[in-house]
Amino acid sequence: MRVHVVSDVHGNAEDLARAGEGADALVCLGDLVLFLDYADHSRGIFPELFGVANADRIVELRTARRFAEARELARGLWQGIDRDTAVEQAVRKQYAELFAAFPTPTYATYGNVDIPHLWPEFARPGTTVLDGERAEIGGLVFGFVGGGLKSPMRTPFEIDDETYAAKLAALGEVDVLCSHIPPDVPELCYDTVARRFERGSEALLAAIHATRPRYALFGHVHQPLARRMRIGATECVNVGHFASTGTPWALEW
């Protein structure tokens, strides 16, 4: 049995359409949407709406952790624009292309920049969306928990720690624990290019210690200090920044 795993797709529909080749199933750990490409500021919803110069500026402010100034800039840019309508129109355009690229079968959960209430509109037969839910794939039990935790970035699907922990608890014991964000371990949460810690989950780390899955798979941190780490009996793997690599991580058994 071979399963390919991707995360942080961020608009890369071209490679996503090939991600299932040679695999029995595809697992997607979220962040389909591309709001702003930190490597190429001309790509994404933000520069489409406000231009590259404003994208350059907001990346500069966020990278410097000047989040209040970044929010003030964004607030001014959105003046006179129906934000929800503009964003949903742009996201729908991306989702139409990305969900059409999913092979059958695909098992997917949300990332922190995704908009969950839109997914039923685009998920076709053969794509199973799970959050706080389990699925059996090739005799192994996969558990899925989507979204991110509250952060200064204020991305669309951030939830409180208690809600996240409750979704984890609902999974029980699984063979493969799939999440968008990593467990709260410094080496797994630090982004060496952005030079900051992304939020990891203490509840996820506790679940790994308590239930000892074979694997814990995640993404979210694009350039982690450590891509792989063993925690007790569990192999913890950042499956990679698919938007830039275009290559899925493979799990075989």
Side-chain angles (χ1 to χ4, degrees):
M1 188 75 182
R2 181 181 176 96
V3 169
H4 286 175
V5 189
V6 300
S7 185
D8 300 271
V9 175
H10 294 303
N12 188 352
E14 183 178 355
D15 288 321
L16 186 62
R18 298 190 292 265
E21 292 178 359
D24 297 290
L26 180 73
V27 167
C28 179
L29 304 182
D31 272 11
L32 297 181
V33 172
L34 179 63
F35 278 96
L36 178 57
D37 189 331
Y38 277 61
D40 180 355
H41 303 168
S42 68
R43 297 181 65 244
I45 294 171
F46 190 93
E48 287 176 9
L49 291 172
F50 304 118
V52 177
N54 283 315
D56 290 341
R57 180 59 176 157
I58 206 159
V59 169
E60 177 187 356
L61 292 171
R62 287 177 175 176
T63 302
R65 303 188 65 80
R66 293 157 61 184
F67 296 116
E69 293 174 67
R71 286 194 291 271
E72 187 62 29
L73 171 62
R75 192 176 297 115
L77 293 172
W78 285 107
Q79 285 290 333
I81 299 174
D82 185 335
R83 179 171 183 159
D84 289 343
T85 299
V87 169
E88 284 205 5
Q89 285 177 346
V91 170
R92 278 193 168 93
K93 182 180 177 182
Q94 291 189 15
Y95 276 168
E97 185 178 12
L98 290 159
F99 275 89
F102 277 143
T104 297
T106 291
Y107 301 85
T109 196
Y110 317 114
N112 60 293
V113 302
D114 285 311
I115 301 179
H117 78 265
L118 294 180
W119 282 36
E121 186 177 330
F122 297 96
R124 305 175 303 166
T127 297
T128 304
V129 180
L130 303 112
D131 186 20
E133 298 165 286
R134 298 150 55 104
E136 184 177 324
I137 307 174
L140 295 185
V141 177
F142 285 64
F144 295 81
V145 57
L149 297 174
K150 299 288 186 182
S151 79
M153 302 295 281
R154 298 186 181 180
T155 50
F157 191 46
E158 295 182 351
I159 59 179
D160 60 70
D161 292 58
E162 293 75 16
T163 302
Y164 194 89
K167 291 196 293 184
L168 268 170
L171 297 179
E173 293 187 7
V174 298
D175 298 302
V176 184
L177 180 54
C178 298
S179 59
H180 177 68
I181 61 174
D184 189 20
V185 177
E187 294 89 339
L188 300 176
C189 294
Y190 187 73
D191 191 306
T192 60
V193 174
R195 297 184 180 180
R196 66 169 180 259
F197 287 97
E198 301 289 353
R199 280 214 66 188
S201 168
E202 293 180 6
L204 191 56
L205 180 59
I208 290 169
H209 282 298
T211 64
R212 297 164 61 86
R214 296 189 196 182
Y215 291 92
L217 308 179
F218 48 87
H220 187 55
V221 183
H222 293 177
Q223 299 91 14
L225 187 62
R227 293 198 174 275
R228 197 164 185 146
M229 174 183 292
R230 196 157 194 90
I231 299 177
T234 302
E235 190 72 17
C236 299
V237 182
N238 183 318
V239 300
H241 181 213
F242 186 78
S244 62
T245 69
T247 303
W249 184 80
L251 176 62
E252 292 187 89
W253 67 97

